[in-house]
Amino acid sequence: MSTQSPSEKSGQEGEGGFKIPDKGVFVSEYNKKILRATRMPERVKILDTTLRDGEQTPNVALSIDDKVKIAQALDELGVDIIEAGFPINSEGEAEAVKRIASSGLRSEICALCRANKVDVDAAIGAGVDSAHIFLATSKVHLEKKLKISKDEAVEKAVTAVQYAKDHGLVTEFSCEDATRTDLEFLHEVHKAIEEVGVERIDIPDTVGVMTPPAMTEFVSEIRSKTKVPLAVHCHDDFGLSVANSLAGVRGGAEEVHVTMNGLGERAGNAALEEVVMALQAFYGMKTGINTRKLAFVSRLVSQLTGIAVQPNKAIVGENAFSHEAGIHVHGILSESSTYEPMRPEIVGKERSIVLGKHSGHHAIDSRLKEYGITLEKEQMKELVKRVKKYAESGKKLDDAELFAVAYDILGQETEPVIRLEEFTAFTGLNFTPTATVVLNIDGDVRRASETGVGPIDASLSAMRSAVSKSIVLRQYRLEAITGGSNALCEVTVKLGDTENPSIISLGKSVGSDIVTTSVDATVEALNRLWVCKLTMNGKDGGRKVY
Ligand code: KIV
Ligand code: ZN
């Protein structure tokens, strides 16, 4: 549905002395006031570690091909440095880093190494541009984990940096657990590696124990003692990784380590999408990131890692630009900046108005008008009441359901338009799964046969062929309700339409045969989608509603 607000259409100025459309971001003026005194760089480098720290997310293991796909997407997104992996970790990891390093990407390709020759050799063997060398320096790590003295630590750090540089690698060094390291000792390590020519120094908040004011001071303290460019690497154990990264930049860091969707060890790392948008919005900084690709890359990483993005996740979550409450929808439809701090399209998202128990008549009316349906005042009141009741029962209201209720109020016919007359599916060993369907679409009988990777895929394809090739499967979910080989299953099918991208229709069915249950769910979704299509195209007056 078109949810453009007046200022988006006209590009007009807003009240309060700041331009509303400007760069599509509408933040508080107090930020500018507070930050005015701070001198910060114009451009911050982004080091993405989705393929290294991100892959350390519990239960994530990416194949080499998937890693290459993610690296390509990060490159297109515009990240400066891709930390491609930890080559010494395994042969597969070394191979993945090698493939990425030889993919001709624009980004600098970096490998993680402990401060020893073997790790640096693995990075050299993988053909990367740079080595991110790390060594823990906090008391607890030195004494309990590494069991080495401070002098030995300095020696190891210097030798590893020198060795990597001698072999032509750009070097970035991290004192692991820097934020719990004695500051004097941290300066000592930094000074020693600066003397052998380290190119960048990273400050990891390894267990996420800083607060933003402390991070700013900590980084500026380090900044005052070294000329080497600084980076920050913040973990999210207290939910402060993004805030701490921004604070680190305020303290003098010129590079930020991030991961897509905030993946990473334990609670994760600072999320690329949040850091980039915040740097741009609050500090007015450039990052080189093509923000319009953020939603796409987030989806890709989520699909390949199998880690779902929480719906209420900032910037890329499903709800980040969704509005349900009546007052908010009213505001959004009048002027989007009332309830949105940035335009969805600048991060590659779309705004959506969700109908639910908080919806008022503005949202419902505007959705119906999209389809050319008009209700009288009393009918609208009744519709709002029924929509709320429906939503309160815990069900999700899609367009087809909304029409069903609207047409019921208008006293119009409600019956399925598409009926399944025949269906067969064959599968077997060394046999390409094939399905044939006969559908009766309002008296027009259509037959179609298709093959697929399995009988369900073949059946769904055959139904699409019979109805319309513009129909696409957006989601398919199969759940076993009971156990055993005769278990009951529930299938949910979500269909979309490439000719009318705003249409999404849902079908659900329960049965004991997963193929026929999938077909039944698809027929239900097809009926709903068909009604939306007809209504949108103004044919049939949308009278036949299932
Ligand atoms: O969190 C951390 O300290 C790290 C290091 C390897 C830099 O990931
Ligand atoms: Zn880390």
Side-chain angles (χ1 to χ4, degrees):
M1 98 189 257
S2 163
T3 49
Q4 269 199 328
S5 65
S7 79
E8 286 173 306
K9 288 174 190 156
S10 64
Q12 71 202 17
E13 287 212 358
E15 284 173 18
F18 68 101
K19 264 192 175 174
I20 287 184
D22 207 14
K23 290 187 186 119
V25 180
F26 320 109
V27 294
S28 162
E29 285 294 282
Y30 285 102
N31 290 300
K32 284 190 197 155
K33 206 166 136 188
I34 301 297
L35 296 170
R36 201 166 287 147
T38 319
R39 279 199 57 200
M40 286 183 285
E42 262 183 35
R43 167 82 155 84
V44 165
K45 276 192 178 174
I46 299 296
L47 180 148
D48 181 280
T49 179
T50 305
L51 295 172
R52 199 277 299 168
D53 221 326
E55 213 211 6
Q56 287 171 222
T57 305
N59 302 320
V60 170
L62 293 159
S63 69
I64 297 181
D65 284 348
D66 288 350
K67 284 186 183 184
V68 174
K69 271 189 212 149
I70 292 177
Q72 279 163 345
L74 292 170
D75 185 61
E76 278 169 34
L77 186 65
V79 311
D80 297 284
I81 307 158
I82 296 173
E83 187 166 62
F86 190 18
I88 196 68
N89 193 39
S90 68
E91 270 178 31
E93 185 130 3
E95 183 56 29
V97 178
K98 204 172 183 172
R99 285 256 314 266
I100 294 167
S102 60
S103 298
L105 303 181
R106 181 207 58 88
S107 312
E108 173 185 317
I109 306 301
C110 170
L112 184 73
C113 311
R114 286 166 300 180
N116 64 49
K117 250 179 105 184
V118 190
D119 283 33
V120 177
D121 280 338
I124 297 164
V128 294
D129 304 304
S130 56
H132 173 199
I133 304 169
F134 75 101
L135 180 74
T137 47
S138 63
K139 191 168 185 293
V140 62
H141 276 253
L142 285 177
E143 287 178 5
K144 307 282 181 203
K145 183 184 84 175
L146 298 175
K147 300 188 192 328
I148 56 170
S149 68
K150 284 182 170 178
D151 286 348
E152 282 173 291
V154 175
E155 164 71 21
K156 271 170 131 345
V158 168
T159 311
V161 170
Q162 184 71 69
Y163 185 72
K165 283 184 66 72
D166 289 347
H167 288 81
L169 295 179
V170 170
T171 53
E172 174 158 339
F173 192 89
S174 284
C175 285
E176 191 187 17
D177 208 13
T179 53
R180 292 192 301 180
T181 298
D182 165 59
L183 197 51
E184 282 315 307
F185 180 53
L186 203 58
H187 291 321
E188 189 186 329
V189 181
H190 290 167
K191 189 164 179 284
I193 53 176
E194 185 172 0
E195 276 165 14
V196 288
V198 74
E199 277 88 356
R200 304 189 291 258
I201 290 176
D202 173 49
I203 306 164
D205 184 23
T206 302
V207 284
V209 287
M210 292 297 264
T211 59
M215 194 71 185
T216 300
E217 281 215 25
F218 192 67
V219 176
S220 45
E221 181 64 38
I222 296 167
R223 171 75 300 151
S224 69
K225 295 277 190 321
T226 176
K227 295 210 163 28
V228 179
L230 299 178
V232 284
H233 176 111
C234 300
H235 277 272
D236 208 35
D237 298 71
F238 285 87
L240 290 172
S241 60
V242 173
N244 285 336
S245 303
L246 294 187
V249 170
R250 199 173 171 207
E254 295 160 57
E255 178 187 313
V256 186
H257 288 202
V258 287
T259 57
M260 210 58 222
N261 300 339
L263 294 179
E265 279 277 355
R266 306 181 309 281
N269 292 58
L272 180 150
E273 60 279 11
E274 294 177 25
V275 169
V276 164
M277 290 315 294
L279 285 172
Q280 197 169 305
F282 302 129
Y283 295 175
M285 278 179 182
K286 295 190 181 80
T287 58
I289 295 292
N290 178 354
T291 61
R292 288 177 189 265
K293 293 194 178 220
L294 286 172
F296 166 76
V297 183
S298 159
R299 266 196 307 274
L300 179 78
V301 168
S302 168
Q303 268 166 17
L304 298 181
T305 57
I307 304 287
V309 173
Q310 71 195 59
N312 57 333
K313 165 89 182 55
I315 316 291
V316 293
E318 196 184 327
N319 296 348
F321 298 95
S322 295
H323 309 272
E324 180 182 309
I327 296 167
H328 285 216
V329 172
H330 185 198
I332 284 287
L333 294 174
S334 322
E335 167 50 59
S336 70
S337 65
T338 50
Y339 288 106
E340 277 175 1
M342 70 190 102
R343 296 249 181 81
E345 58 273 19
I346 60 177
V347 296
K349 299 275 291 178
E350 276 175 15
R351 177 177 306 135
S352 68
I353 306 292
V354 178
L355 299 181
K357 71 176 210 180
H358 303 105
S359 298
H361 89 269
H362 283 290
I364 296 172
D365 190 38
S366 103
R367 177 68 58 97
L368 289 179
K369 282 206 176 109
E370 283 280 307
Y371 292 86
I373 303 170
T374 314
L375 268 70
E376 300 294 335
K377 206 171 162 199
E378 283 311 304
Q379 290 172 324
M380 182 54 94
K381 263 194 189 166
E382 172 64 15
L383 180 61
V384 173
K385 212 167 92 191
R386 282 169 61 175
V387 163
K388 283 180 190 277
K389 200 161 167 212
Y390 186 92
E392 266 163 9
S393 70
K395 292 183 199 150
K396 209 166 174 218
L397 196 88
D398 65 18
D399 282 357
E401 265 124 18
L402 177 70
F403 298 152
V405 186
Y407 290 130
D408 190 40
I409 290 169
L410 287 167
Q412 296 179 346
E413 194 179 345
T414 60
E415 62 176 51
V417 183
I418 302 175
R419 291 173 199 279
L420 182 69
E421 295 203 336
E422 277 175 40
F423 164 65
T424 49
F426 296 101
T427 189
L429 194 65
N430 299 325
F431 181 84
T432 307
T434 311
T436 302
V437 293
V438 178
L439 292 173
N440 184 326
I441 307 176
D442 209 10
D444 175 13
V445 178
R446 301 185 193 175
R447 170 186 293 272
S449 295
E450 291 289 346
T451 56
V453 292
I456 297 176
D457 186 42
S459 312
L460 268 51
S461 293
M463 283 193 282
R464 282 182 58 220
S465 295
V467 180
S468 164
K469 283 279 191 194
S470 70
I471 293 169
V472 282
L473 181 68
R474 295 265 182 241
Q475 199 187 80
Y476 173 87
R477 212 175 60 226
L478 169 71
E479 273 168 80
I481 300 177
T482 53
S485 59
N486 60 352
L488 270 186
C489 66
E490 182 180 91
V491 175
T492 309
V493 171
K494 227 186 219 182
L495 299 177
D497 182 16
T498 52
E499 284 172 3
N500 302 289
S502 63
I503 298 180
I504 290 284
S505 84
L506 199 83
K508 253 188 189 178
S509 185
V510 174
S512 50
D513 177 326
I514 58 169
V515 182
T516 54
T517 309
S518 302
V519 168
D520 288 343
T522 310
V523 171
E524 185 177 87
L526 280 172
N527 267 294
R528 295 177 159 176
L529 188 132
W530 194 250
V531 172
C532 297
K533 252 170 111 66
L534 287 182
T535 310
M536 263 195 149
N537 297 340
K539 291 177 202 154
D540 203 32
R543 274 178 294 110
K544 291 208 169 81
V545 180
Y546 176 45

